[in-house]
Amino acid sequence: MQAAGPPWTLHVPTPFHPIAPISPISTTQTQTVDPPPPSTTVVPDKYSEIHVKRLVFFKIDNRLFSITENALRLSSQFRSMLDSAHIGEPEEGTAEHPIELQGVTAFEMESFLTLLSARVWAGPPELDEDGWVAALHIATMYSFRDIRNYIIKYIDDQKFYSPVRLIEMANKANVPKWIQPAYLALCMKPEMIT
């Protein structure tokens, strides 16, 4: 019989979120876990947050879109809806009974989903200027805070929008930091605004 080795130490960041950066060790809890016997298969009690829970379907402009529940939970607005016993039928959000979204276009949803499915290591998604604006509208409207901040930073870094377009976007997406510089740029233009 082999002598048992020391128990494994598992560091669990608190609170844990699958997309959040790993916390420093000083904010972790340490739990001691005995190793499983060599002949036993370890089966998790439940799936981790990283696994897809389910697809939620939306209908916009007579087109069907699906988003994973995990991705929807990035929105404080959708997270509240998913966690509450909101009014609705059990099949609400299925392909047969999609949730109809008002105030957004199919193009805006396509742009947002393009951004949402982009991988960090591949660089920013290939969206044109209108696509970035459309994604910003959805991120703002449905409280996807981190995605909204990413889009704003990307637009700040690119500087490809005209001052007039920046003012329009600032007002629509509530980004006040864009207004003053855009008006200043308009005042400094040598040609007349048409």
Side-chain angles (χ1 to χ4, degrees), residues 10-74:
L10 175 67
H11 294 282
V12 181
T14 56
F16 174 74
H17 186 278
I19 298 178
I22 297 174
S23 303
I25 291 178
S26 62
T27 61
T28 61
Q29 296 175 348
T30 301
Q31 298 175 352
T32 302
V33 180
D34 292 327
S39 61
T40 305
T41 303
V42 178
V43 179
D45 293 335
K46 64 179 184 175
Y47 290 105
S48 73
E49 288 289 321
I50 295 172
H51 289 85
V52 174
K53 291 184 177 180
R54 71 181 177 112
L55 290 174
V56 179
F57 290 83
F58 295 94
K59 187 176 181 181
I60 304 168
D61 298 339
N62 256 355
R63 292 184 54 200
L64 206 56
F65 296 92
S66 64
I67 306 175
T68 65
E69 182 179 324
N70 292 14
L72 284 176
R73 289 185 173 282
L74 297 173

Side-chain angles (χ1 to χ4, degrees), residues 145-163:
R145 189 190 75 224
D146 292 338
I147 296 170
R148 180 180 189 274
N149 291 339
Y150 172 79
I151 296 168
I152 290 170
K153 181 177 179 341
Y154 180 83
I155 290 172
D156 284 345
D157 292 346
Q158 298 307 307
K159 303 187 185 320
F160 49 54
Y161 292 99
S162 72

Side-chain angles (χ1 to χ4, degrees), residues 73-96:
R73 289 185 173 282
L74 297 173
S75 157
S76 60
Q77 188 173 346
F78 282 114
R79 189 176 332 111
S80 296
M81 182 191 79
L82 292 166
D83 290 341
S84 72
H86 67 284
I87 299 172
E89 301 299 321
E91 63 272 354
E92 183 180 31
T94 63
E96 296 78 26

Side-chain angles (χ1 to χ4, degrees), residues 103-105 107-113 115 125-141 147-148 150-152 154-156 158 160-162 164-175 178:
V104 297
T105 65
F107 174 74
E108 289 171 330
M109 183 57 83
E110 285 173 355
S111 298
F112 180 76
L113 292 177
L115 181 76
E126 292 186 23
L127 290 173
D128 61 12
E129 292 180 21
D130 292 334
W132 284 99
V133 174
L136 179 59
H137 178 238
I138 297 258
T140 300
M141 185 175 212
I147 296 170
R148 180 180 189 274
Y150 172 79
I151 296 168
I152 290 170
Y154 180 83
I155 290 172
D156 284 345
Q158 298 307 307
F160 49 54
Y161 292 99
S162 72
V164 172
R165 187 74 189 270
L166 256 164
I167 292 166
E168 291 171 350
M169 290 170 20
N171 289 326
K172 185 174 182 178
N174 191 26
V175 187
W178 290 343

